[in-house]
Amino acid sequence: TQLLEQSPQFLSIQEGENLTVYCNSSSVFSSLQWYRQEPGEGPVLLVTVVTGGEVKKLKRLTFQFGDARKDSSLHITAAQPGDTGLYLCAGGQGSNYKLTFGKGTLLTVNP
Amino acid sequence: DAGVIQSPRHEVTEMGQEVTLRCKPISGHDYLFWYRQTMMRGLELLIYFNNNVPIDDSGMPEDRFSAKMPNASFSTLKIQPSEPRDSAVYFCASRRAGGLSSYNEQFFGPGTRLTVL
C-alpha cells in the first residue's frame, strides 16, 4: 500500500507569517498534486508537479517536488486568512488513474 | 458548467437502513470516482468508473457497499444495511480521459455528509 504522510497535521499561525507543510512517502510517484479543501466543500486542485526537483509558484504559494519524486512541500509566504483550509497532497502512478491522498494539513490563519 | 452535483448534501439515518447517494458528473468527463473522508482515515478511494464501467472497486469496504453507473450522467453509491461506522463524508469526483493519465485534475462535488445513528 502506498502511503503519503503529511506534516504537520494541524497548523495555526498569525496573518503575515510564512509556513511550510510537507508530504512524504517511501514510494515513487509519477506526479504529485496539491488540493485545498474548505469546510463543507470538496477539494480543489492547486497544482500538479511531475518532474523531480520541479518548483512551481502560484502567487504566494511555492510547491516543490523532491528529486526522487517521493516527497513534496508547499510553502506559503505572508499567509492570509483566506489561506485557511485543509491542504491535501495526492500521488499518481503513471497510467493508473487512481490517486493516493494524504490525510492533510489543517491550516488556520488568524487575522 | 454546474460542476459535479451530489445529493443529498446531508443524510441522517438509523442503523440497518438502506442509504443511496447520488452523483451527476461534469458533462463530457469519462471517469467517475467515489471517495469517503473521515478524520481517522482521510480521503479514501472506494471505486472508480470509466465510460460507465467499474474499473477498480478494491476500496469498497465490504459487500454492504455497491455502486452503479447506469449512464454517463448519473451514478449511485448504496449502503445496505448501514452501520454507525459508515458515518463519513462521501465525495464524487469526475475527470476527462486523455493526456498523461495521473496528471489530469479531478473535480470534486460538495460531498454528502452521512450520519448513521
Side-chain angles (χ1 to χ4, degrees):
Chain A
T1 302
Q2 300 167 329
L3 292 175
L4 281 168
E5 301 285 344
Q6 290 192 243
S7 61
Q9 188 177 358
F10 300 97
L11 185 58
S12 180
I13 62 170
Q14 294 300 123
E15 183 176 1
E17 293 183 6
N18 301 332
L19 66 112
T20 302
V21 297
Y22 301 92
C23 174
N24 295 294
S25 176
S26 58
S27 301
V28 175
F29 291 96
S30 58
S31 67
L32 201 295
Q33 297 182 331
W34 284 91
Y35 288 78
R36 181 168 69 205
Q37 183 179 12
E38 299 187 12
E41 299 181 8
V44 176
L45 182 68
L46 295 173
V47 78
T48 301
V49 285
V50 301
T51 305
E54 181 176 4
V55 176
K56 280 193 175 180
K57 292 192 175 183
L58 185 66
K59 296 184 180 178
R60 294 176 293 99
L61 279 59
T62 301
F63 305 85
Q64 184 163 8
F65 202 10
D67 291 341
R69 290 185 288 131
K70 293 182 178 182
D71 55 85
S72 181
S73 63
L74 159 58
H75 181 80
I76 301 179
T77 303
Q80 299 177 1
D83 296 326
T84 293
L86 179 67
Y87 288 81
L88 295 161
C89 65
Q93 285 284 354
S95 60
N96 190 330
Y97 283 79
K98 294 167 63 170
L99 290 175
T100 300
F101 280 84
K103 291 184 180 180
T105 293
L106 185 59
L107 171 66
T108 302
V109 182
N110 302 298
Chain B
D1 199 316
V4 176
I5 299 173
Q6 291 188 247
S7 65
R9 291 295 310 274
H10 302 274
E11 177 81 30
V12 180
T13 191
E14 293 188 345
M15 183 174 61
Q17 296 298 307
E18 178 180 295
V19 175
T20 299
L21 311 181
R22 296 173 176 80
C23 175
K24 176 178 169 56
I26 293 173
S27 177
H29 283 192
D30 303 277
Y31 286 82
L32 183 141
F33 304 81
W34 281 101
Y35 290 90
R36 178 173 66 178
Q37 187 176 41
T38 61
M39 285 289 292
M40 289 295 296
R41 301 175 68 88
L43 195 61
E44 302 174 281
L45 177 65
L46 301 176
I47 185 172
Y48 78 94
F49 295 83
N50 175 216
N51 291 326
N52 315 335
V53 176
I55 302 301
D56 187 337
D57 65 355
S58 58
M60 296 285 261
E62 48 197 276
D63 292 345
R64 298 184 297 106
F65 286 70
S66 62
K68 293 182 179 180
M69 192 165 185
N71 57 63
S73 60
F74 183 65
S75 177
T76 59
L77 178 67
K78 185 176 294 186
I79 308 172
Q80 167 65 18
S82 58
E83 297 182 3
R85 61 191 167 120
D86 301 331
S87 297
V89 181
Y90 290 80
F91 288 100
C92 175
S94 69
R95 54 156 285 176
R96 288 188 180 89
L100 290 169
S101 55
S102 65
Y103 301 177
N104 289 11
E105 177 178 1
Q106 291 190 16
F107 293 82
F108 284 78
T112 295
R113 181 173 294 277
L114 173 64
T115 302
V116 183
L117 303 174

